[in-house]
Structure formats: C-alpha cells, structure tokens
C-alpha cells in the first residue's frame, strides 16, 4: 500500500503528459493539413488562376507598412480652394438625343485583334490620354501612369515577354475551363498586334505616390480608380475611330515594369494595342445583354 501511494502521483503526472502530447500532435496535424479557418473546399474555391500575382488588392495601407515607411500625413498638404461649378444644362429633348448618340457610338465598340500598321497622329493619342486622366480617383490622387510605346524594338520586346508568359498561361495557369471558354473567340498566346499596332498603351496603377520630399502618399482605391480611367480611355478611343483589345497578360507585370523603367510602386494593370482596324478585320458576332438583364430599377 505504501508503494502504491508513492506511485499514484507519478502515474497521474505521466498520464497528464501523455494526454497533453496527444492534444499537441492533434493540433499540429490540423494546422499542417488545413489553414486556420479554412476547409479543403474553401482552399479549392480560393484558387483563382486569373488573378495576376503582381496585382494584389493593396488599397488599404496596413499599420505594419506605415510603421516602416516614411508616409506623408494628410495635414501636410495644403487646403484646396473650392470654386463655383456650372456645367451646361441641356433641354430634355437634347439630353435624350445626346444619350442616344453616345449609346449608338459606344455600342459599335468591339475588341479588335486585327489592327492596321497605318500611322496615327501622336496628338490624337495625347488627347485620348488627357481624356482618360479626367477620371475620378480616391482623394484625387490620380494613381495612373500611361506608358505609350511606338518604338518598334520596344514593342517587339514587349511581345516576346507577353507571348512567353501567355503560352504558360494557356498551357498551365488558366485551366481547361477558361481555355475552352476562350476557344469560341479564337484567341491564343500569339499576339501579332503587339508588333503591328502603331501604339501600345500600358496602363500602370500607382500603389502609392511619391511626393517631392520623397515621402509616400497613400493612394486610396488605386485599382478601382485606374480601372475607371481605363473605361474612359476606351470611350475616348472609340470617339476618334480607333480600336483596341483590352489585354491583361498574367504575370508579365514585373518584366514589363523593368523593361519600361517604371518604379516599384507601379503595377501593370492593362495593355492596349491602339490603331485603326485592319482592312480585313473581323470580330465575333456577339450580342449584348438587354437593358432588363443589366439594370434593376427600384
């Protein structure tokens, strides 16, 4: 009995250690097999091959980034003067006609992959870019850079980078479903128009700004702002009779940024070949959704 009374506490301690070890191993197994808060189904759902690794939603600057960066305070910027604003007001009949005219013009817009090498006046491109720059942006930070390329050698280098990555995209990254969905549009990784088009417009989003004093300026909603600007750019091109195709080549951003000598705070959002349509250009016979399918009136 005396021996049993001595061993009982020891056995209890050993039993507690064994149970604790088993619990720790169980948690480690759960952690390594599935991330915290994630199920296996969630992991598959999170796989999005169409998301460019160089384009991440970094609209909100985290506290950690602010601690390590030299960020400007909002109070360091001067107050803006507010001025009267009186845009033209049209009679209802004129409004209706203008709305119809603009819709008719924009409804003719198509993604065109067959572009003529015929020269386009540089001033026209300048005005189109100016128009794109009228877009609204978070806190009026205007977080966009439009790189216009007309040099043949640079255009060809861009094509080489894009086609190399796009072949990997089509063969590996995009997956069978995406490739099959594109089959009816007859697209592939060969991008002749990158050599042929008189201009390539590469649209970069500035993830943050750099002030004259070298401090960083937060660019709120930079990707949304630049995307709106791209929409206006497409409308401006349509207005002057030029065509393009919205190209978003996956994982080409870093190489193109280096080629074009753009700073690290700029990320490629879109690549647009710009020019007149080729004389033998064709487009898929696509139909747009009717108004009732895209608008809800409450």
């Amino acid at each position: 009995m005396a021996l049993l009374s001595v061993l009982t506490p020891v056995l209890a301690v050993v039993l507690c250690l064994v149970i604790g070890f088993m619990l720790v191993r169980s948690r480690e197994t759960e952690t390594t097999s599935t991330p915290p808060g994630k199920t296996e189904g969630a992991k598959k759902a999170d796989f999005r091959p169409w998301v460019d690794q160089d384009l991440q939603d970094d609209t909100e600057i985290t506290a950690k980034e602010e601690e390590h960066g030299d960020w400007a305070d909002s109070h360091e910027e001067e107050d803006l003067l507010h001025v009267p604003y009186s845009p033209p007001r049209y009679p209802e009949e004129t409004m209706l006609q203008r709305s119809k005219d603009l819709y008719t013009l924009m409804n003719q817009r198509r993604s065109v992959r067959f572009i003529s090498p015929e020269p386009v006046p540089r001033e026209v491109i300048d005005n189109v870019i100016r128009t794109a720059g009228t877009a609204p942006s978070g806190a009026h930070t205007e977080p966009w850079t439009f790189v216009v390329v007309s040099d043949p050698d640079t255009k060809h280098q861009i094509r080489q980078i894009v086609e190399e990555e796009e072949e990997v995209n089509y063969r590996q990254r995009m997956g069978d479903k995406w490739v099959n969905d594109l089959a009816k549009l007859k697209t592939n990784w060969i991008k002749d128009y990158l050599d042929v088009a008189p201009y390539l417009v590469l649209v970069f989003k500035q993830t943050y700004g750099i002030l004259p004093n070298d401090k960083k300026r937060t660019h709120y909603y930079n990707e949304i702002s630049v995307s709106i600007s791209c929409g206006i750019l497409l409308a401006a091109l349509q207005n002057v009779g030029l065509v393009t195709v919205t190209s978003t080549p996956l994982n080409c951003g870093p190489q193109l940024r280096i080629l074009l000598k753009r700073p690290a705070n700029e990320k490629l959002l879109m690549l647009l070949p710009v020019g007149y349509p080729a004389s033998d250009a064709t487009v898929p016979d696509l139909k747009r959704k009717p108004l009732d399918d895209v608008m809800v009136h409450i």
Side-chain angles (χ1 to χ4, degrees):
M1 293 295 293
L3 179 61
L4 182 61
S5 64
V6 172
L7 291 176
T8 299
V10 176
L11 292 172
V13 172
V14 172
L15 182 60
C16 289
L17 290 174
V18 171
I19 294 173
F21 177 74
M22 293 174 65
L23 288 173
V24 170
R25 287 298 301 272
S26 175
R27 288 192 175 187
E28 287 180 350
T29 303
E30 291 178 2
T31 303
T32 54
S33 62
T34 307
K38 297 276 188 178
T39 64
E40 190 65 27
K43 287 172 63 180
K44 291 181 179 179
D46 288 344
F47 176 66
R48 298 183 297 167
W50 56 87
V51 176
D52 195 315
Q53 297 300 312
D54 193 45
L55 285 177
Q56 299 188 11
D57 188 1
D58 47 13
T59 292
E60 298 298 333
I61 304 301
T62 64
K64 184 176 180 181
E65 288 175 324
E66 288 183 340
E67 288 174 3
H68 295 286
D70 190 11
W71 295 87
D73 294 329
S74 58
H75 68 265
E76 294 180 11
E77 300 180 24
E78 297 181 0
D79 291 336
L80 285 175
L81 176 66
H82 283 225
V83 296
Y85 178 64
S86 299
R89 180 166 178 169
Y90 304 105
E92 290 187 6
E93 297 80 6
T94 305
M95 292 172 60
L96 181 59
Q97 187 60 50
R98 287 172 65 92
S99 68
K100 289 180 177 178
D101 291 344
L102 181 59
Y103 168 69
T104 300
L105 173 66
M106 294 308 302
N107 195 37
Q108 296 169 2
R109 190 210 59 78
R110 299 300 305 270
S111 294
V112 179
R113 293 171 173 83
F114 304 98
I115 300 178
S116 168
E118 183 181 354
V120 174
R122 170 64 187 276
E123 189 176 0
V124 172
I125 300 300
D126 290 349
N127 287 333
V128 165
I129 300 298
R130 284 192 181 98
T131 303
T134 66
S137 58
H140 193 61
T141 52
E142 301 176 293
W144 41 67
T145 301
F146 300 92
V147 179
V148 179
V149 179
S150 58
D151 175 66
D153 291 338
T154 305
K155 288 194 298 180
H156 188 65
Q157 291 180 69
I158 291 173
R159 178 181 178 180
Q160 289 178 317
I161 291 171
V162 169
E163 289 187 343
E164 180 178 347
E165 287 293 334
E166 283 284 75
E167 183 174 4
V168 178
N169 292 335
Y170 272 82
R171 294 187 183 277
Q172 299 178 21
R173 298 186 183 119
M174 291 163 56
D176 292 340
K177 184 179 185 305
W178 189 1
V179 173
N180 290 336
D181 286 344
L182 290 175
K184 62 184 179 182
L185 302 179
K186 299 181 180 179
T187 67
N188 55 40
W189 60 83
I190 305 300
K191 312 293 183 184
D192 294 333
Y193 51 73
L194 295 178
D195 269 326
V196 176
Y199 293 101
L200 303 182
V201 179
L202 294 92
V203 186
F204 288 83
K205 70 169 189 175
Q206 301 169 7
T207 56
Y208 58 85
I210 302 176
L211 299 176
N213 60 5
D214 291 330
K215 287 190 175 183
K216 298 177 181 178
R217 182 187 187 191
T218 304
H219 279 177
Y220 305 98
Y221 300 105
N222 51 74
E223 186 161 331
I224 294 176
S225 300
V226 180
S227 298
I228 295 172
S229 180
C230 288
I232 296 177
L233 175 58
L234 295 177
L237 290 171
Q238 181 69 17
N239 183 58
V240 296
L242 298 177
V243 298
T244 187
V245 54
T246 51
S247 172
T248 52
L250 290 176
N251 297 315
C252 295
Q255 295 180 74
L256 294 176
R257 185 169 65 243
I258 292 172
L259 173 65
L260 300 173
K261 297 180 174 59
R262 301 313 308 157
N265 65 316
E266 294 187 3
K267 310 292 185 183
L268 180 65
L269 187 67
M270 192 172 294
L271 191 165
L272 303 171
V274 174
Y276 299 107
S279 59
D280 57 350
T282 60
V283 295
D285 187 18
L286 301 177
K287 307 299 180 185
R288 305 192 195 277
K289 293 181 178 180
L291 183 62
D292 288 344
D293 286 355
V294 299
M295 184 181 76
V296 176
H297 189 184
I298 300 175

